[in-house]
């Protein structure tokens, strides 16, 4: 069985990374989820933030502006090609540090971050509970985990799971209530939870969990 790093890099290669931001529908979806993330919790000056996985850095550009030079933004991704795109977008920011790695293979200390953003990616994790637990450990007390992803509650997403079985980067998508449960099981208090339905047969959710 291939290592996750190899699977991710094979799929999110130079070509796919280059096209990631170019599809009009996908670009619109990304913008909507970035906007939702900032409505759920807008970072403040001086915040220490982790964006994981950072992807091509679209959200991180917004976050880096909001936290200012007194803050720090750390971006982690397994795909070298996606990280290359992110580095290009963020090259003029002095408050950003990027790393090609898994979150469980970094050297960040417990209690390092005020906020962790995980957008459009929970479906990639074979053990999302383990990932959420690691996020809990990395957050300061009263720190926030912001998760946005496809909502499996909708018919189209349930059908899409059949197609996604042929995509090795996809593990499983979740209903909003399932993800809320994962956060609570790992020590979070649900601060906010919303559902967005841009189409008749599909939608996505946003959840803010607070480390208590």
């Amino acid at each position: 069985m291939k290592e996750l790093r190899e699977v991710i890099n094979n799929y999110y290669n130079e070509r796919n990374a280059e096209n990631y931001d170019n599809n009009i529908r996908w670009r619109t979806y990304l913008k909507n989820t970035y906007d939702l993330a900032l409505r759920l919790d807008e970072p403040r000056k001086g915040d220490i933030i982790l964006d994981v996985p950072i992807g091509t850095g679209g959200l991180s550009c917004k976050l880096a502006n909001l936290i200012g030079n007194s803050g720090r933004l750390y971006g982690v991704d397994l795909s070298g090609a996606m990280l290359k795109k992110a580095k290009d977008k963020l090259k003029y920011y002095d408050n950003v540090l990027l790393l090609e790695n898994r979150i469980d293979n970094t050297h960040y200390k417990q209690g390092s971050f005020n906020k962790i953003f995980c957008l459009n990616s929970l479906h990639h994790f074979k053990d999302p509970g383990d990932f959420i637990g690691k996020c809990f450990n990395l957050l300061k007390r009263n720190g926030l985990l912001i998760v946005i992803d496809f909502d499996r509650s909708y018919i189209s997403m349930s059908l899409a799971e059949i197609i996604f079985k042929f995509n090795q980067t996809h593990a499983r998508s979740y209903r909003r209530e399932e993800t809320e449960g994962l956060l609570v099981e790992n020590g979070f208090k649900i601060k906010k939870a919303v559902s967005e339905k841009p189409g008749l047969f599909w939608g996505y959710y946003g959840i803010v969990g607070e480390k208590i």
Side-chain angles (χ1 to χ4, degrees), residues 162-178:
I162 299 172
I163 300 171
F164 288 152
K165 285 182 178 180
F166 299 97
N167 181 341
Q168 288 184 300
T169 70
H170 181 91
R172 182 183 182 273
S173 50
Y174 295 85
R175 298 189 304 274
R176 191 186 94 183
E177 294 78 9
E178 289 180 295

Side-chain angles (χ1 to χ4, degrees), residues 29-183:
Y29 169 75
L30 289 176
K31 179 183 181 303
N32 290 342
T33 56
Y34 298 162
D35 291 346
L36 174 59
L38 298 182
R39 292 201 310 272
L40 288 170
D41 192 89
E42 185 169 309
R44 304 171 184 173
K45 298 288 185 184
D47 273 346
I48 312 298
I49 293 177
L50 176 64
D51 186 4
V52 57
I54 189 174
T56 60
L59 175 65
S60 283
C61 289
K62 298 176 183 291
L63 298 175
N65 280 320
L66 290 167
I67 62 177
N69 290 330
S70 59
R72 285 290 180 272
L73 173 69
Y74 295 82
V76 176
D77 205 290
L78 263 177
S79 167
M82 297 287 272
L83 204 63
K84 182 180 177 182
K85 290 280 290 183
K87 286 179 179 177
D88 188 57
K89 289 180 183 177
L90 294 158
K91 61 187 175 185
Y92 297 114
Y93 292 89
D94 295 327
N95 58 349
V96 175
L97 294 169
L98 305 183
L99 179 66
E100 182 182 341
N101 215 329
R102 298 169 57 115
I103 188 173
D104 57 359
N105 198 32
T106 61
H107 299 291
Y108 302 134
K109 295 180 180 179
Q110 291 192 10
S112 293
F113 302 102
N114 301 105
K115 297 178 176 74
I116 298 176
F117 287 82
C118 176
L119 268 63
N120 308 313
S121 299
L122 196 68
H123 58 273
H124 290 307
F125 292 95
K126 293 188 181 300
D127 188 347
D130 181 67
F131 166 74
I132 290 168
K134 289 181 171 63
C135 289
F136 184 89
N137 291 333
L138 290 173
L139 284 165
K140 300 176 185 291
R141 186 175 182 183
N142 301 123
L144 302 178
L145 172 62
I146 297 92
V147 179
I148 297 175
D149 207 4
F150 310 124
D151 193 334
R152 189 173 177 160
S153 299
Y154 296 94
I155 295 173
S156 61
M157 290 312 303
S158 295
L159 295 174
E161 287 293 315
I162 299 172
I163 300 171
F164 288 152
K165 285 182 178 180
F166 299 97
N167 181 341
Q168 288 184 300
T169 70
H170 181 91
R172 182 183 182 273
S173 50
Y174 295 85
R175 298 189 304 274
R176 191 186 94 183
E177 294 78 9
E178 289 180 295
T179 303
E180 288 182 43
L182 288 170
L183 266 69

